Amino acid sequence: MTDTFAPPLKPNDLVAGFVVLILCQLAGEALVGLLRLAVPGLALPGPVLGMILLLVLLVLRRQEARAIMSVANGLLGVLSLLFVPSAVGIMQHAELIRTWGFQLLIAVIASTLLTLVVTVFAFLATERLLARTSP
């Protein structure tokens, strides 16, 4: 999907790409909040709805994709920093880990496998969609 002859991105393009990512997540959180007013037991994470909104946006406005991909790749480079808060939380709840450790391990493994399978299907669907719409 990288265009070899594309001009380099300007700093404003990167900021705009980051803003689009944040606004899609915010819109997803807001929509889920509104949906939970109507359906209180709704178990749909806001970021998931935000990613769906981002996918729709990228399909409709492909020219935004390059800046968003550049920002997303930069964020993936520092992804390990995002695990620090969860590691601190694990350390604070060591007793829960001792009590429910095996069940948590099974839940983490099952959810990781499910996430990988869903990610593969989403990637394949997106690749087919982009191949169909590219000139």
Side-chain angles (χ1 to χ4, degrees), residues 104-117:
L104 288 171
L105 181 66
I106 296 298
V108 167
I109 290 172
S111 64
T112 300
L113 290 175
L114 183 63
T115 301
L116 289 174
V117 169

Side-chain angles (χ1 to χ4, degrees), residues 47-119:
V48 171
L49 192 55
M51 285 195 310
I52 293 170
L53 292 173
L54 180 63
L55 176 65
V56 170
L57 179 73
L58 289 176
V59 167
L60 295 177
R61 298 183 51 106
R62 290 194 54 154
Q63 66 271 20
E64 309 288 335
R66 192 165 159 244
I68 292 171
M69 285 177 55
S70 180
V71 170
N73 284 333
L75 288 173
L76 285 175
V78 294
L79 185 65
S80 60
L81 290 177
L82 302 177
F83 290 106
V84 170
S86 61
V88 171
I90 288 172
M91 297 303 289
Q92 288 180 339
H93 298 287
E95 183 60 35
L96 282 175
I97 300 297
R98 270 185 238 121
T99 306
W100 296 97
F102 182 72
Q103 292 87 345
L104 288 171
L105 181 66
I106 296 298
V108 167
I109 290 172
S111 64
T112 300
L113 290 175
L114 183 63
T115 301
L116 289 174
V117 169
V118 169
T119 302

Side-chain angles (χ1 to χ4, degrees), residues 4-59:
T4 313
F5 301 107
L9 290 172
K10 298 175 188 170
N12 289 346
D13 296 332
L14 297 174
V15 171
F18 187 73
V19 167
V20 167
L21 286 176
I22 296 297
L23 286 178
C24 284
Q25 180 175 357
L26 180 65
E29 293 281 359
L31 284 173
V32 167
L34 289 174
L35 288 172
R36 283 190 180 139
L37 292 176
V39 184
L42 180 67
L44 177 66
V48 171
L49 192 55
M51 285 195 310
I52 293 170
L53 292 173
L54 180 63
L55 176 65
V56 170
L57 179 73
L58 289 176
V59 167

